[in-house]
Amino acid sequence: MTEDIIIQISNKIKEKRKSKGITIQELADKADVSKGLISQIENNRTVPSLLVLINIIKALNLDMNEFFNEIDQQTQGAKVIIKQKAAYQEFEKEPAKGFVYKRVLTKNVKNFPVDIVLLELKKGARRAHSVKTDAYEYKYIIKGKVEYQIDNEKYVLEEGDSLFFDGRLGHKPANIGEENAQILVVYFFLDSEK
């Protein structure tokens, strides 16, 4: 399975942390960063600076070569990428009951990562708290009826509707329909060095 390097790094940090039985708080303490930053990095909500990445790798007691050895760069120059739906990898962005994320494709476009995801919101699923993402977000409702609250404004979307917004604004979706909802999500990540 090939994914963009930045997403692979985030996934690898989470995988190595869990395999070593280290909590997010323990890793944050060892890397001298906040628990929230580790969570955002692991859930592809922000891209770590080089210094933070090095501190995290050291905090996991990993060799730099070992860490980067498995990072796949095969598709970086590919002009055509085909991905079968069976290869869409399910992942957890943050704990939220009834939210099922599947990564379709991640690719660098003009040195900015773009992450394409399918999100299924089970009937009645809603996030309790707003989240923020260091990305612009595009949402296309494939199926169902979804309410998005963005900066205390509510927007109701139905099949065929779409939404584009700055993910740095607090936002949370809720499935307000009578069936599971399915949403195509495209994240256009921002440069995390502000």
Side-chain angles (χ1 to χ4, degrees), residues 6 15 21 57 78 90 94 97 102 145 161-162 165 189:
I6 292 170
E15 169 196 318
I57 293 169
E90 198 168 299
E94 63 275 318
K97 189 175 179 182
K102 287 188 179 178
K145 187 174 183 178
D161 293 343
S162 61
F165 65 96
F189 285 93

Side-chain angles (χ1 to χ4, degrees), residues 54-189:
I54 290 169
N55 287 344
I56 291 170
I57 293 169
K58 285 180 181 178
L60 288 168
N61 294 320
L62 298 173
D63 176 81
M64 292 285 183
N65 290 329
E66 174 192 338
F67 184 84
F68 289 105
N69 193 31
E70 299 167 10
I71 303 296
D72 186 5
Q73 298 183 46
Q74 263 185 306
T75 63
Q76 291 305 302
K79 293 184 180 189
V80 176
I81 299 171
I82 300 207
K83 200 157 176 195
Q84 303 297 321
K85 70 179 177 181
Y88 299 169
Q89 185 179 27
E90 198 168 299
F91 67 101
E92 183 180 285
K93 227 166 168 43
E94 63 275 318
K97 189 175 179 182
F99 285 59
V100 179
Y101 290 91
K102 287 188 179 178
R103 177 155 291 113
V104 176
L105 178 70
T106 300
K107 185 86 175 121
N108 263 342
V109 178
K110 302 277 186 188
N111 295 320
F112 287 96
V114 176
D115 195 15
I116 303 168
V117 171
L118 282 174
L119 170 58
E120 180 180 16
L121 290 178
K122 301 290 186 185
K123 183 179 175 183
R126 63 180 55 247
R127 185 168 282 129
H129 303 286
S130 291
V131 295
K132 294 181 179 182
T133 308
D134 283 334
Y136 285 95
E137 298 189 26
Y138 174 77
K139 317 278 183 159
Y140 177 83
I141 309 304
I142 297 170
K143 176 175 101 172
K145 187 174 183 178
V146 178
E147 177 187 270
Y148 263 90
Q149 183 174 323
I150 303 171
D151 246 9
N152 297 316
E153 291 287 328
K154 292 183 180 181
Y155 306 90
V156 175
L157 305 165
E158 297 186 36
E159 185 175 316
D161 293 343
S162 61
L163 171 69
F164 182 81
F165 65 96
D166 185 337
R168 294 171 294 186
L169 299 172
H171 58 278
K172 61 182 179 178
N175 182 345
I176 60 172
E178 296 300 316
E179 61 182 351
N180 291 350
Q182 189 171 32
I183 306 165
L184 176 68
V185 182
V186 182
Y187 298 98
F188 301 91
F189 285 93

Side-chain angles (χ1 to χ4, degrees), residues 26-35 37-38 52 55-56 59:
E26 290 169 338
L27 179 57
D29 292 344
K30 287 181 179 182
D32 199 26
V33 297
S34 72
K35 178 182 176 181
L37 180 60
I38 296 291
V52 168
N55 287 344
I56 291 170

